[in-house]
Amino acid sequence: MEPSFLVFLQKSPFNMVLFGTAIVSGAMLVWPLFGRIAGGAVPQVGAFEAVNLINRRDAIIIDVREKADYAIGHLPNSRHIPLAELAGRTGELEKFKMRPVLLNCAPGTAATRACAALTQAGFKEVFALRGGMSSWIEASLPVEK
């Protein structure tokens, strides 16, 4: 760094705070990019993209929420496999390996862990419903009970 810049920063604590804020906000902007490049990002689809997957590509829907949450309401034609049981029950899904798989949960975070488990099991197209069940309901799409 140039010495005049360091002098500028040392003149006032406010200058250091502004510079630090710029560095942190810049890092926050590029962090998702690094996640995608590293391959750690799980493909997520919105509610209407999920409808297209279901209707046009015959996607299978797996709900990874707990039994009580599933009983309150779930996506039509979804299969219920709680996240804790998913690793042991992937054999039930073997016949669907060539179809897209849509994973649903309440807040949308458990589905990303389920995506990783199914990808490791050999499923090629695995998607998480962005926003989970709440985004589905917010889009006024049908719910079964």
Side-chain angles (χ1 to χ4, degrees), residues 124-143:
K124 302 295 180 213
E125 290 186 279
V126 183
F127 303 92
L129 178 61
R130 186 181 312 114
M133 194 66 194
S134 57
S135 71
W136 186 267
I137 293 168
E138 190 176 295
S140 300
L141 293 166
V143 175

Side-chain angles (χ1 to χ4, degrees), residues 46-48 50-51 63 65 69-76 104-107 129-145:
F48 294 110
V51 170
D63 196 314
R65 297 176 299 153
D69 294 330
Y70 184 80
I72 292 171
H74 53 271
L75 275 66
N104 176 44
C105 65
L129 178 61
R130 186 181 312 114
M133 194 66 194
S134 57
S135 71
W136 186 267
I137 293 168
E138 190 176 295
S140 300
L141 293 166
V143 175
E144 287 183 350
K145 292 189 180 193

Side-chain angles (χ1 to χ4, degrees), residues 47-128:
F48 294 110
E49 295 167 299
V51 170
N52 280 336
L53 270 176
I54 295 164
N55 291 339
R56 295 187 178 163
R57 302 209 33 230
D58 198 25
I60 181 170
I61 309 162
I62 301 172
D63 196 314
V64 295
R65 297 176 299 153
E66 295 301 318
K67 189 175 186 176
D69 294 330
Y70 184 80
I72 292 171
H74 53 271
L75 275 66
N77 302 318
S78 63
R79 297 172 184 271
H80 182 235
I81 303 177
L83 181 60
E85 300 173 17
L86 185 62
R89 293 178 59 183
T90 54
E92 296 175 28
L93 305 170
E94 284 293 319
K95 59 186 172 193
F96 303 115
K97 273 192 172 182
M98 302 321 267
R99 288 170 54 185
V101 177
L102 177 66
L103 291 150
N104 176 44
C105 65
T109 55
T112 57
R113 290 190 302 244
C115 279
L118 288 179
T119 302
Q120 280 184 336
F123 288 81
K124 302 295 180 213
E125 290 186 279
V126 183
F127 303 92

Side-chain angles (χ1 to χ4, degrees), residues 5-50:
F5 180 70
L6 294 175
V7 171
F8 169 75
L9 285 179
Q10 293 173 347
K11 276 196 174 201
S12 169
F14 184 69
N15 292 346
M16 283 193 253
V17 169
L18 286 177
F19 182 69
T21 302
I23 296 294
V24 170
S25 64
M28 290 171 62
L29 286 172
V30 294
W31 184 257
L33 176 64
F34 289 128
R36 282 189 219 115
I37 291 171
V42 172
Q44 294 187 353
V45 293
F48 294 110
E49 295 167 299

